[in-house]
Amino acid sequence: MKHQFGFISSLFLCGIGLLSPIDSIAQESALKGDLAVAQDTIRIFEDKIILNDATQTYPQFKVGGVFQARYLDNFKRGVDINGLHYGDVEGTNNSFEIKRMRVSMNAKVTENLEVVALVNLADFKSDPKTKVLENAYAKYTLNRYLQFTVGQFRPLFGMEETYPVDVVKSIDYSNSYYMFGDNGWTSFQVGAAITGSVDLGPIPMSYGVSVTNGNGKNKTDNDDGKHYSSRLLFNVDAKHKINVGVSGGIGEVQRQTVYAVGAEATAFFPMGDRWSIDFQLEAKQGTNHQLYYTQPVDQRIGEVDDYLMKSFYVLPNIRYELGKKRLQTIEFACRYEYLDGSAHLNSNGRQSWVPMVSLEFLKNYGARLQVGMQIDNYKMNIEGTKSYNSNLAFIQFQCRLQ
């Protein structure tokens, strides 16, 4: 399988190299009137792409980013801002923090070929060796049915992979997003992907298939095993933005087979001219091989298949449009999440409630203030660990670099 994947990767890269000059020639011909191609607007997951736009010239460059600073205060005495129970010894209950200082560069080399880079400068506050660089990939759009991506990107698994953190309806991604990221299914991974969009009768469907190393960002593979994941998203109702999706993946870690599956749904309902409510739901399950392999050999119980992670969350968000010059909207959200990193062995489920009020000063969350609390309750508190009840209050200001 190793040699076969290497051969496929070589063909993939050669194809990108061959398609780029062909694409440039085609664009020049189209601009000269030698080739009449109709303009096409497509949507693949959360990306809106315009093909065959004769009014544009290339290359194009766009610089962006997002700044997030927050104040944290854990109201649970004896528990620090990271959720660690410290008991009677010294700990940090409150602190200011720079959560993210992201800077991005998007270069459209031709109409169909783009290169994307994203760094998080806030990661310099700790060991930056496998941090800082987040996105680093090239994407070639052949047509609405076929896109190729190679480099470091977020693979195709779950709804949280398809939009940036600055538009999340809560304070951050879900807890399960980070746990599945530690296991190679979400967050930034190195590999290749194919995406596209097709219409199933009146229902548009986005699809994606990705192959990654599965061991995190800025890393080469360490065991020759790969993660193969896929996602299908069906736009069931455009008016109410009802989308239903499924994800699945299989991989090999230390010559052991691992898997992950997920299901998702979103909906949006206007309530008059100013009020609206939207929902997000997602459930996931998979092998927690990261927990298995980080334990000492003599402390492991059973096999890697016995370590199972399960999660579910629902996120309702009520939005009120003010339309004022300095205050666009007010939002009220409360995410509920259940997460168990070892559902079959020593289960200790975690329930999280995140009530939050958000004030939007610029459209599309360009400037935003979020105030709320993350309330974590474990089935069983374990002293001296992060498996301990916590009440973390937060105030976060966000500003996007346009």
Side-chain angles (χ1 to χ4, degrees):
M1 179 174 286
K2 175 182 177 182
H3 298 295
Q4 183 182 11
F5 179 71
F7 177 68
I8 293 173
S9 300
S10 300
L11 287 178
F12 175 82
L13 294 172
C14 290
I16 291 291
L18 290 172
L19 286 169
S20 298
I22 294 174
D23 174 66
S24 299
I25 295 171
Q27 286 185 62
E28 291 176 6
S29 299
L31 291 174
K32 291 177 181 178
D34 297 329
L35 184 64
V37 182
Q39 182 173 305
D40 188 17
T41 301
I42 60 175
R43 193 173 192 89
I44 301 176
F45 296 117
E46 294 297 319
D47 291 335
K48 183 179 179 181
I49 303 169
I50 300 177
L51 297 176
N52 308 319
D53 187 352
T55 64
Q56 301 296 315
T57 58
Y58 300 93
Q60 297 176 351
F61 300 93
K62 180 180 179 181
V63 177
V66 65
F67 167 77
Q68 290 180 335
R70 58 177 65 170
Y71 173 76
L72 304 172
D73 193 339
N74 202 323
F75 285 18
K76 192 77 171 181
R77 297 303 95 178
V79 181
D80 72 8
I81 57 174
N82 296 311
L84 176 66
H85 175 258
Y86 60 83
D88 297 329
V89 300
E90 291 295 323
T92 303
N93 281 100
N94 62 81
S95 179
F96 289 98
E97 177 191 34
I98 304 298
K99 180 61 177 178
R100 292 179 177 89
M101 181 61 251
R102 282 179 165 168
V103 179
S104 64
M105 167 67 80
N106 186 314
K108 294 208 71 173
V109 183
T110 68
E111 181 185 61
N112 298 66
L113 179 63
E114 63 177 321
V115 178
V116 177
L118 174 67
V119 296
N120 182 15
L121 302 179
D123 277 338
F124 279 112
K125 62 178 178 267
S126 57
D127 183 4
K129 185 169 62 174
T130 58
K131 300 179 181 179
V132 184
L133 181 64
E134 296 185 331
N135 277 331
Y137 64 83
K139 180 184 289 185
Y140 187 88
T141 301
L142 186 62
N143 49 45
R144 67 176 303 166
Y145 308 107
L146 203 57
Q147 286 183 311
F148 300 97
T149 303
V150 62
Q152 182 168 285
F153 55 92
R154 296 197 290 169
L156 285 307
F157 190 95
M159 74 170 78
E160 292 180 290
E161 290 294 79
T162 54
Y163 50 79
V165 69
D166 42 297
V167 300
V168 172
K169 303 293 185 179
S170 192
I171 187 64
D172 205 341
Y173 292 122
S174 65
N175 299 319
S176 62
Y177 172 83
Y178 291 105
M179 181 173 287
F180 277 74
D182 290 339
N183 285 274
W185 299 111
T186 59
S187 194
F188 302 98
Q189 308 288 335
V190 181
I194 297 175
T195 53
S197 175
V198 297
D199 293 335
L200 302 179
I203 300 177
M205 181 193 76
S206 297
Y207 78 89
V209 179
S210 56
V211 183
T212 65
N213 290 335
N215 60 335
K217 57 186 177 182
N218 306 328
K219 296 179 182 177
T220 56
D221 205 345
N222 56 2
D223 64 355
D224 289 339
K226 297 294 180 287
H227 279 46
Y228 303 86
S229 59
S230 61
R231 181 178 181 228
L232 300 176
L233 183 68
F234 303 89
N235 306 120
V236 178
D237 185 338
K239 178 181 178 181
H240 295 109
K241 301 179 183 178
I242 298 177
N243 300 319
V244 178
V246 291
S247 301
I250 189 169
E252 184 180 338
V253 178
Q254 304 295 331
R255 305 195 182 282
Q256 297 289 324
T257 300
V258 298
Y259 82 96
V261 293
E264 64 189 80
T266 61
F268 170 84
F269 300 100
M271 300 182 296
D273 294 333
R274 295 181 179 267
W275 290 93
S276 63
I277 184 169
D278 59 84
F279 295 90
Q280 295 179 358
L281 302 97
E282 188 169 31
K284 297 195 288 284
Q285 176 176 303
T287 309
N288 194 346
H289 59 267
Q290 191 266 347
L291 175 62
Y292 176 80
Y293 285 112
T294 53
Q295 290 186 335
V297 176
D298 59 349
Q299 295 182 17
R300 295 173 186 171
I301 303 173
E303 303 296 331
V304 65
D305 291 342
D306 297 318
Y307 288 73
L308 191 68
M309 52 184 177
K310 292 184 176 182
S311 72
F312 167 80
Y313 77 83
V314 56
L315 175 55
N317 183 72
I318 299 173
R319 182 178 177 91
Y320 179 71
E321 302 275 355
L322 281 83
K324 303 294 183 180
K325 182 178 180 180
R326 291 183 174 83
L327 183 59
Q328 298 290 324
T329 64
I330 300 177
E331 292 186 345
F332 309 89
C334 185
R335 180 173 63 205
Y336 168 78
E337 180 179 11
Y338 178 82
L339 175 64
D340 195 337
S342 183
H344 287 176
L345 298 171
N346 301 320
S347 174
N348 191 17
R350 171 187 182 182
Q351 296 187 76
S352 298
W353 298 85
V354 190
M356 186 185 79
V357 177
S358 176
L359 305 179
E360 183 182 5
F361 304 109
L362 296 176
K363 290 183 178 180
N364 302 317
Y365 297 153
R368 182 187 189 194
L369 182 68
Q370 298 156 279
V371 181
M373 177 177 285
Q374 179 169 314
I375 304 167
D376 291 321
N377 291 313
Y378 286 86
K379 185 168 69 174
M380 178 176 61
N381 283 325
I382 303 175
E383 295 184 356
T385 72
K386 291 185 178 181
S387 298
Y388 206 92
N389 292 350
S390 173
N391 299 324
L392 183 67
F394 56 82
I395 302 174
Q396 176 172 282
F397 177 74
Q398 168 184 300
C399 182
R400 187 182 294 118
L401 311 178
Q402 304 279 358

